[in-house]
Amino acid sequence: MVKSNVVIVDYEMEIACRELITDCRPRRLEFDSESDRSNFLAIKLSEKVIGRIPFSFNPIRTGSTVTVSKPGLQGILSSLDSGKITSKAWADFISNRIVPDNVKGPVVTNISACATGLFSFVRGAMLLTNDECDICLAGAAEATLHPFVVGGFKRMGVISKTRPRPFDKNRDGFVPAEGGAVALLMREADAVSEGIKSVAKILGWAMMQSDSNPVSVKENEHNIVELIQLALTNAEIKKQDLAYIHLHGTGTKQNDIAEAKALRIIFDKKNIFIPASSTKALTGHCLGAAGAVETIITIEFLKNGMAPASFGLEDIDPECQCDCILQNNMRLQRSIGIILSYGFGGQMAALVIEAEK
């Protein structure tokens, strides 16, 4: 793998919740229009970021990997409500066109279930590393909390009936929430030449496919171990160099046990302590946008020299017992973090970043 030379220079985030969730109510964003809500949010965030670029740029050399994980779903659901699926609804579902008018370069969408947001950052960094564009928008948006969608997750048994509390012995799933985040990526040398200070460096990444089925993430800590080790190798850092690990941490039985087992294999057994947590009890699970949102949250915490606690965690599950999982905020001396995301169907991604303080 070619070493990453990509930095994050700006970002915009909008989420429905920023405080500890104490019930099981899905968190929705409020928009003036209910039509194509995810696309509306993705374009809104993208236009804010691209509108702040302080230098002239060539649209042909401007790329985007901004994605919604359920393109056109609102149109499909509206058509179902009316009893007829229109040709426009199918066209919107297929096209997934969510870029500002002044983006004329490579546009790549990455539909990877709940790993979509992190895949978008990885693919954006790859476009820049391969010199396919000079600047790139990366991120994801999710605003699809229609009763049909929530009902599907309930049938799968992953929605909490109480409140989100990853790694807690009483956890019973996640609370879905809407939100999104879009960042502007550049090559580091280009940012320096334009006099732009970056907020974080992208040091490396990894993408994998686990042995899973379309509606589950198989409990397999070895897949997570391989993902983390591959990301660290590609970033050319040692596990001891990490300051913080943002876990996928959904609060479901299988996910949390698998992640805790992976941490024990990589860190506990080597007597290495790296603080790790999930912030989904603070933001809800933003589904396809989770990886993008959690990348920005990780940057913000690292910039402030802080590792966040696993919010909502009160009594850790013995099967999730791990030295690394935080129950309280912790001050940090280093600023390198890794973000993990997994999606139904087996998509897995990891992103290694270094925040600029």
Side-chain angles (χ1 to χ4, degrees):
M1 173 179 160
V2 178
K3 184 171 176 58
S4 171
N5 60 352
V6 177
V7 293
I8 300 170
V9 298
D10 193 14
Y11 58 80
E12 188 74 27
M13 180 171 70
E14 184 172 345
I15 52 179
C17 187
R18 281 179 175 263
E19 59 187 14
L20 184 64
I21 298 174
T22 58
D23 57 51
C24 60
R25 174 177 54 85
R27 267 51 179 185
R28 295 181 90 243
L29 290 167
E30 297 299 326
F31 297 136
D32 292 336
S33 172
E34 287 297 301
S35 176
D36 297 322
R37 300 174 78 251
S38 291
N39 287 18
F40 171 81
L41 178 59
I43 293 174
K44 174 185 175 182
L45 296 172
S46 296
E47 288 181 340
K48 282 187 175 182
V49 171
I50 209 164
R52 291 198 294 260
I53 295 177
F55 56 88
S56 60
F57 60 92
N58 181 358
I60 298 296
R61 294 286 296 171
T62 302
S64 174
T65 58
V66 177
T67 307
V68 299
S69 67
K70 305 169 189 64
L73 180 63
Q74 198 68 39
I76 295 289
L77 294 174
S78 297
S79 295
L80 288 174
D81 290 340
S82 66
K84 181 180 180 181
I85 299 179
T86 65
S87 57
K88 181 182 183 303
W90 280 119
D92 289 343
F93 183 82
I94 294 168
S95 68
N96 199 16
R97 177 175 171 78
I98 45 172
V99 294
D101 292 338
N102 48 358
V103 174
K104 304 293 185 183
V107 174
V108 180
T109 54
N110 309 268
I111 300 174
S112 307
C114 293
T116 294
L118 211 56
F119 268 83
S120 176
F121 272 81
V122 171
R123 294 295 292 168
M126 292 173 72
L127 287 177
L128 287 160
T129 301
N130 294 332
D131 195 28
E132 296 180 58
C133 58
D134 294 328
I135 59 176
C136 187
L137 296 170
E142 183 79 43
T144 57
L145 291 189
H146 185 281
F148 179 84
V149 175
V150 177
F153 284 123
K154 285 182 178 179
R155 287 291 299 272
M156 293 163 64
V158 295
I159 296 285
S160 174
K161 297 177 181 177
T162 55
R163 61 180 176 84
R165 41 189 146 188
F167 307 104
D168 194 279
K169 72 176 184 179
N170 295 313
R171 71 191 184 283
D172 62 347
F174 60 79
V175 168
E178 296 183 338
V182 171
L184 181 66
L185 312 185
M186 298 179 66
R187 284 181 289 273
E188 185 173 17
D190 293 340
V192 171
S193 69
E194 294 288 352
I196 298 175
K197 180 175 173 57
S198 63
V199 296
K201 296 179 181 178
I202 295 179
L203 302 182
W205 55 79
M207 297 182 289
M208 282 178 50
Q209 175 68 34
S210 71
D211 47 343
S212 185
N213 69 56
V215 292
S216 74
V217 178
K218 188 173 182 179
E219 181 186 343
N220 187 334
E221 66 274 14
H222 300 293
N223 289 331
I224 300 171
V225 169
E226 290 178 8
L227 180 73
I228 294 172
Q229 291 177 334
L230 180 59
L232 296 179
T233 298
N234 290 340
E236 298 183 3
I237 65 170
K238 299 177 181 178
K239 60 189 74 172
Q240 295 94 326
D241 296 327
L242 287 172
Y244 171 65
I245 305 164
H246 194 298
L247 301 165
H248 191 53
T250 56
T252 57
K253 293 293 182 183
Q254 289 186 338
N255 177 91
D256 293 6
I257 291 172
E259 286 197 294
K261 286 181 177 179
L263 293 179
R264 289 199 292 267
I265 291 170
I266 299 176
F267 300 104
D268 287 13
K269 289 184 178 180
K270 305 292 183 182
N271 293 317
I272 298 171
F273 172 72
I274 305 295
S277 66
S278 166
T279 57
K280 284 185 173 68
L282 189 69
T283 63
H285 189 349
C286 293
L287 306 175
V293 166
E294 290 160 10
T295 295
I296 301 308
I297 287 173
T298 298
I299 290 171
E300 291 182 345
F301 272 106
L302 290 174
K303 282 176 62 178
N304 290 303
M306 183 74 70
S310 267
F311 298 101
L313 173 58
E314 295 176 349
D315 191 358
I316 195 163
D317 183 344
E319 291 191 85
C320 295
Q321 191 65 51
C322 174
D323 292 343
C324 295
I325 295 175
L326 291 183
Q327 292 187 255
N328 297 290
N329 291 349
M330 178 180 171
R331 298 299 306 179
L332 297 174
Q333 300 301 316
R334 301 187 302 279
S335 57
I336 297 177
I338 185 170
I339 303 99
L340 306 175
S341 284
Y342 329 122
F344 290 142
Q347 301 94 331
M348 306 177 71
L351 186 71
V352 183
I353 60 168
E354 181 174 13
E356 302 284 3
K357 291 188 176 180

